[in-house]
Amino acid sequence: MMDRRKFLASAGLGLMAAAAPISIDAATRKARRARTAAKTAGGSKKLKLTFFPYELKLRHAFNLARFSRTTTPDVQVKLEYDGYVGYGEASMPPYLGETVESVTTFLNSLDLGQFTDPFRIEDILTYVDQKAPNNRAAKASVDIALHDLLGKIMGQPWYKIWGLDPGKAPVTSFTIGIDTEEVVRQKVEEARPFKLIKVKMGLDNDQETVEIIREMMPDIPICVDCNQGWKDKEHALEMCHWLKERNCLFVEQPFDKQWIDETAWLRERSPLPIIADEAFQRLPDIVRFKGVYDGINIKLMKSTGLHEAYKMVTLARALDMKVMIGCMTETSCAVTAAANLSPLVDFADLDGNLLIANDRFNGMTVENGKITLHDIPGLGITPIPGK
Ligand code: MG
């Protein structure tokens, strides 16, 4: 009888064989080679979790409507089983309420050694989720590492295990924060390889930033993220019309997350879709958005990782909503994890790794503005030597 691991490995191979005209034998050999390459000798058949704090250094100060900062606290996670190593991470922008201390306290409270079968994803992640409320980024770090580990054991990248066509990965936006004209011009230069620019709004110079982009790159579509910054619904509606004329695709989180009635009012009148970000975290939050928002921006640090993020995509589609996948400032570990889901979504905003100066991984790349997934088992990341 075939055991569960072999069954899942061969199921993954079946998908791969359907996608490319190679024989099962060749695919089996390739997966076996990939699994062998990912494995070291002498590993324990119990899950082992280790982690350490890692401060992300931002290449530019990051200015939003409500905050400005030059670093992001982060915890890097390793999950080992039978000689395989999965990597994960928790990134903690201050407004989400988690800290290095809260994440390490949460991770220290887990006893993952009780699990001898890493394929029990439901059991393992339910245990992690029920350990304490909140702690979403801490939970995401375990989920991401578990996915990396399992993909390496199966010898397949996750987009293949999910049956997704990497060719359907969308273009990803490059973010331009709220800044002086000089910095905005410099960032528009950096954005030239991209096919979509995300503009942060919510302060007085909103229109100036868009005018600079339109002057430097007249044809590139833009999207706008207000980070709850707009304070007046009539002004917001005027801005939506103004932006529509300037090739804007959607507006993200225009108002305070508590302004449900005002957001529904704007959504009814706006010529642009209105996308929720700060207004939600977990799966059940999405149900109440019908009629309030046109779409959701999923981030792994809110959703507690990939397992729930996949369910969010399914629920949002059932509610006829648009789906976007975003990130925090993160290394290529969490960004590439999210990129594996991107063939399922309408928009991607996965540039968090490009905003930091001390990445620890090579992962997905952006080629010609488009997310490019590589055929590497697990999340598709490799540690950068010496980092
Ligand atoms: Mg946002």
Side-chain angles (χ1 to χ4, degrees), residues 35 43 82 149 164 167 214 220 240 249 340 377:
R35 288 202 298 275
D82 193 22
L149 180 77
L164 305 179
R214 283 285 74 107
I220 193 166
C240 287
L249 303 181
N340 276 271

Side-chain angles (χ1 to χ4, degrees), residues 122-142:
E122 290 290 344
D123 289 353
I124 297 167
L125 295 181
T126 301
Y127 161 78
V128 170
D129 197 24
Q130 290 178 348
K131 194 73 189 170
N134 303 317
N135 289 287
R136 288 173 287 268
K139 291 170 183 175
S141 71
V142 179

